[in-house]
Amino acid sequence: NITERKVEAIETIETSAGTFECFKVSSKSKSKVAFMEISGSSIGWIKNDIGLIRSEDYDKSGKFIGYRVLSEIKH
């Protein structure tokens, strides 16, 4: 379940794929695997005509877990 999704700002993100003006979106998430419930939060930078440019994941205490980033666009 993804909850509390909110557009925080418009920011410029630079990756090896280029420079993009993006919506910065925060959200919280909960998932259940077998008998375990996993909670956390994430921040994503989204460009309308491309999609997700970068995302960062955090555990339930706010500790950084990892990230994903767009590295290349093929035409």
Side-chain angles (χ1 to χ4, degrees):
N1 294 330
I2 297 173
T3 61
E4 299 181 41
R5 188 175 282 173
K6 180 180 174 185
V7 175
E8 302 282 346
I10 295 174
E11 294 184 350
T12 301
I13 298 294
E14 188 173 336
T15 74
S16 58
T19 302
F20 308 95
E21 189 169 297
C22 301
F23 292 103
K24 179 182 178 182
V25 179
S26 64
S27 63
K28 293 187 178 181
S29 62
K30 283 186 182 180
S31 59
K32 192 171 184 180
V33 179
F35 297 104
M36 265 181 28
E37 188 172 280
I38 301 168
S39 299
S41 62
S42 65
I43 300 173
W45 288 265
I46 301 167
K47 177 146 176 57
N48 275 349
D49 58 343
I50 296 175
L52 189 65
I53 303 300
R54 179 183 172 91
S55 68
E56 298 177 353
D57 298 313
Y58 300 86
D59 69 12
K60 65 182 176 185
S61 65
K63 181 181 173 190
F64 178 74
I65 297 171
Y67 70 97
R68 291 175 292 284
V69 65
L70 178 70
S71 61
E72 182 180 8
I73 296 175
K74 294 183 180 182
H75 297 280

